[in-house]
Amino acid sequence: MIGRVTGTLVLAATPIGRVEDAPPRLASELATADVIAAEDTRRLKRLVGDLGVTIAGRVVSYFEGNESARTPVLLESLLAGERVLLVTDAGMPSVSDPGYRLVAAAVEADVLVTAVPGPSAVLTALAVSGLPVDRFCFEGFLPRKAGERARRLASLAAEERTMVFFEAPHRTQAALEAMATAFGDDRAAAVCRELTKTHEEVRRGPLAALVEWAAEGVRGEVTVVVSGATAAAASSEPEDLLAAVAGLEEGGMSRKEAIVEVARRAGVPKREVYDLVHKS
């Protein structure tokens, strides 16, 4: 609305490991914000202590459990002309962290949204992985349930871009095993653990080797980077189409989804693949 004065929503990246990696502007934003919305107020207290910052504004919690309810309240602050700073535990807000709902609400209300750029586990892992970085996609956390995880990965089997995933340490081995099933044992990957921290570790190799490594136990924050599929035209021969559908089904994809995916890859009508499957 022309002429209306509103506040500003600032998304501020926080260190993913070393506090020295905090962007210089973060300290001034923390000191001057009218409202600080923090994923974990205890971590915020430690962060401002490490940075030597004194907070003058109000501090409110903003995490997955109260994000929906607190978004309208923060929007009211923005519409009242206040500067609202959003910080999460590590990295950039809204990237697999709280923030999207508030950003969407602010944009809808024509409130200025800006950011303090800084640390990102996604880009850091991608950069050190040694895998192609010219084109990539971020897939966030995989589903916890084995069947849903297998279906998600099966749908990515033909993805040609490098893929970046977040994963919990206790699920890393299972995730790598599912990736090896969906992408093949020889697909190149890297497991990046505790990035920028004292015990940082990057393990590179084929998925089969990484599965074996993870069997010994994985600790800390984990980001997995996987090479994309080699570009190749899928065969439209009947036997190859049937084999492709069967392979996707074995990976956890439903028959209907597998038929659609195989038809897309081969560039043939869905009905053609459907008829082949149901006549075999």
Side-chain angles (χ1 to χ4, degrees):
M1 186 180 299
I2 297 176
R4 183 179 66 182
V5 178
T6 64
T8 300
L9 173 61
V10 183
L11 309 177
T14 54
I16 60 175
R18 301 173 186 269
V19 71
E20 307 95 281
D21 293 334
R25 207 175 104 211
L26 177 60
S28 63
E29 291 287 354
L30 286 166
T32 59
D34 298 303
V35 182
I36 300 175
E39 184 178 11
D40 186 329
T41 56
R42 293 168 299 181
R43 290 200 182 192
L44 172 65
K45 185 176 180 179
R46 289 198 296 271
L47 176 63
V48 297
D50 290 339
L51 293 175
V53 173
T54 299
I55 293 177
R58 306 188 307 279
V59 175
V60 299
S61 63
Y62 189 73
F63 58 96
E64 185 178 359
N66 71 359
E67 188 175 0
S68 295
R70 188 139 289 173
T71 292
V73 178
L74 292 172
L75 183 60
E76 287 181 9
S77 296
L78 289 165
L79 293 175
E82 293 188 303
R83 191 173 185 86
V84 176
L85 180 69
L86 178 59
V87 294
T88 53
D89 292 348
M92 179 61 71
S94 80
V95 180
S96 281
D97 274 330
Y100 168 74
R101 288 185 177 88
L102 183 56
V103 172
V107 170
E108 179 67 21
D110 201 24
V111 170
L112 177 64
V113 179
T114 187
V116 177
S120 165
V122 177
L123 295 180
T124 302
L126 182 68
V128 303
S129 69
L131 298 173
V133 298
D134 53 333
R135 297 175 65 234
F136 71 93
C137 59
F138 174 56
E139 289 293 324
F141 285 94
L142 289 169
R144 296 184 181 186
K145 294 183 179 179
E148 294 177 7
R149 181 170 57 224
R151 284 190 289 273
R152 173 77 64 80
L153 291 170
S155 71
L156 293 169
E159 174 59 64
E160 296 176 11
R161 295 171 294 180
T162 298
M163 297 167 281
V164 183
F165 303 86
F166 285 162
E167 193 49 87
H170 63 281
R171 291 196 298 269
T172 298
Q173 182 187 6
L176 291 170
E177 288 174 344
M179 290 175 184
T181 298
F183 305 151
D185 288 343
D186 294 333
R187 183 76 70 91
V191 178
C192 306
R193 189 181 68 83
E194 294 290 87
L195 285 168
T196 78
K197 299 177 183 177
T198 302
H199 299 292
E200 175 179 290
E201 180 181 19
V202 180
R203 286 276 179 167
R204 305 175 181 88
L207 283 168
L210 293 175
V211 169
E212 185 176 345
W213 164 79
E216 299 178 6
V218 179
R219 294 182 180 181
E221 301 291 332
V222 174
T223 305
V224 181
V225 186
V226 184
S227 179
T230 302
S235 171
S236 59
E237 292 296 321
E239 61 272 19
D240 293 328
L241 294 174
L242 288 171
V245 170
L248 291 178
E249 284 189 274
E250 288 176 7
M253 190 177 286
S254 72
R255 176 163 293 185
K256 180 179 179 181
E257 292 170 329
I259 289 171
V260 171
E261 177 62 20
V262 169
R264 182 190 68 78
R265 294 182 195 175
V268 299
K270 288 183 290 185
R271 188 70 195 184
E272 180 178 334
V273 182
Y274 178 91
D275 289 341
L276 279 171
V277 170
H278 289 84
K279 290 177 181 177
S280 62

